[in-house]
Amino acid sequence: MVDFKSLFIAALAAARTAEAQYTLTPITNWGDNPSNLVLDVFVPETLGPNPAIILALHWCSGTGPLYSQSTRYNSLAAAHNYVVLYPSSPKDNNCWDVATNQSLTRDGGGDSTGLANMVKWAIDEYSADPAKVFVTGTSSGCMMSNIMTATYPDLFAAVSCYSGVAAGCLAGSPGSSPQTADPACAAGEIIKTGDEWAAQARAMIPGGYNGKYPRFQTWHGDADFFVNYPNFAEQLKQWSTILGVEFTKNVTRSPGCGYTKMVYGDGTKLLGYSARGVGHVVPTHEEVDLEWFGI
Ligand SMILES: *[C@@H]1O[C@H](CO)[C@@H](O)[C@H](O)[C@H]1NC(C)=O
Ligand SMILES: *[C@@H]1O[C@H](CO)[C@@H](O)[C@H](O)[C@H]1NC(C)=O
């Protein structure tokens, strides 16, 4: 077993010096918390009216505070007028629950319910613009971003996440961590049609849902042998079916050397970023995320 934590140490070391100066505030009173999650929040010193909210989800073995130090969302918050929610999952090797029916059901009483309640609390607490709520995350955090998109599409305007899997890929697995999960999903062996993935995501909202789904972009390294590269295409199948857009073209060297932007439809609803020769840790591209969010 690869030491999962060591995968992220380099990313952490690079960013932590700069980001360590930003203080997070622990929050305990954000509402119903059925799976005992933890919440820390970053609020810039100068927050304008009606800020945006970004829900930022850590990798397995990580925490919200560690994720805040390994990314640059805090240093960009004042200029773009947003608050960042950094929750932590203290169970199953600090992974998000992307396997149980509770978490894979809207208001099912699992992690997705607790995270949705944090977002609702934050909109109220900071008088945020409910049309500017976003979710991002890496690895387990991207898997959970897919679950949040499926279970609470009405809460989020857009998603940008790194190195994850389609919503439902780990459904029914005994756990969600490298140590406890059915390995077939991370190995890239769960292959379905777009219609099958879409039906599975839609079924996560009991009673159905006819509203909008968020704009979605996902990043993946083609040398990822931890959450294998086929999971990138499976996510794109799932959300292209739900968003009703088909692959139109590739744009090479976007956003930089080695990256290919895969455009669906006119590029306003769904994008994939394929990183050539990159493994499980695709560097976060904060400015590209913020541009996608439109803030
Ligand atoms: C999943 O959970 C929901 C909400 O608690 C429940 O209505 C549904 O029957 C469950 N489905 C399965 C397959 O257990
Ligand atoms: C688009 O780029 C992806 C990632 O590099 C590649 O797998 C795919 O074959 C490309 N598609 C076309 C039509 O060039």
Side-chain angles (χ1 to χ4, degrees), residues 178-254:
Q179 294 88 340
T180 58
D182 177 339
C185 173
E189 291 163 4
I190 309 287
I191 305 297
K192 301 184 187 185
T193 66
D195 285 339
E196 287 168 341
W197 281 124
Q200 191 172 8
R202 288 199 177 99
M204 293 182 191
I205 303 183
Y209 172 74
N210 294 318
K212 272 181 71 169
Y213 278 82
R215 295 179 289 112
F216 194 95
Q217 74 178 17
T218 188
W219 305 69
H220 220 107
D222 69 5
D224 188 340
F225 302 111
F226 209 79
V227 176
N228 283 26
Y229 189 60
N231 286 300
F232 176 59
E234 298 307 298
Q235 288 170 76
L236 291 168
K237 280 190 220 169
Q238 182 167 52
W239 300 113
S240 66
T241 305
I242 287 192
L243 293 165
V245 285
E246 285 179 10
F247 173 78
T248 43
K249 63 176 179 192
N250 277 343
V251 182
T252 54
R253 299 178 63 87
S254 175

Side-chain angles (χ1 to χ4, degrees), residues 43 74 96 102 108 158 161 168 203 209:
V43 184
N74 293 349
W96 300 103
Q102 282 94 330
C161 74
Y209 172 74

Side-chain angles (χ1 to χ4, degrees), residues 100-109 203-204 206:
T100 69
N101 182 45
Q102 282 94 330
S103 191
L104 271 51
T105 303
R106 182 185 179 94
D107 300 337
M204 293 182 191

Side-chain angles (χ1 to χ4, degrees), residues 8 16 21 24 33 45 48 58 99-100 106 117 124 138 165 172 188 212 224 242 256-257 260 292:
F8 294 99
R16 115 181 282 168
Q21 60 179 302
L24 305 186
N33 181 14
E45 261 173 51
H58 63 72
T100 69
R106 182 185 179 94
N117 287 340
D124 193 48
T138 288
V165 303
K212 272 181 71 169
D224 188 340
I242 287 192
C257 189
T260 297
W292 177 244

Side-chain angles (χ1 to χ4, degrees), residues 124-138:
D124 193 48
E125 178 72 14
Y126 304 107
S127 302
D129 182 345
K132 290 185 181 164
V133 178
F134 310 101
V135 57
T136 188
T138 288

Side-chain angles (χ1 to χ4, degrees), residues 274-288:
S274 180
R276 181 162 28 89
V278 176
H280 188 51
V281 185
V282 176
T284 46
H285 285 67
E286 291 84 351
E287 281 88 354
V288 182

